Amino acid sequence: MSVTTNQSQPPVPPPSGTDPVLLLVLGIVVVMVLGATLYLCMAHPSLAGPIGAVGGIASALATAFGLAIALRRR
């Protein structure tokens, strides 16, 4: 006759750190925004100043949003 015991195992803590898929998507978005900005600056040299400013701000915002989402999940 075997005796079984009901031993409860401690709960597994959620993994810490950021999701690698989120970081990959964030990196792809930032590279695409910067690439589109570079292309538009080369195609329209007279608008390089405004296009560069908007592209730089969009890239910074995408990074900030990605970090905010990554840190919120922790």
Side-chain angles (χ1 to χ4, degrees):
M1 184 182 275
S2 67
V3 178
T4 59
T5 59
N6 288 335
Q7 294 179 350
S8 62
Q9 296 178 349
V12 177
S16 62
T18 57
D19 186 18
V21 175
L22 178 67
L23 292 176
L24 178 66
V25 170
L26 177 63
I28 290 171
V29 168
V30 169
V31 167
M32 288 179 66
V33 167
L34 290 176
T37 302
L38 178 65
Y39 169 75
L40 287 174
C41 287
M42 293 179 78
H44 304 285
S46 62
L47 297 175
I51 291 172
V54 170
I57 291 171
S59 178
L61 284 175
T63 304
F65 282 131
L67 288 174
I69 291 170
L71 293 176
R72 184 181 58 125
R73 289 188 176 191
R74 253 187 202 184

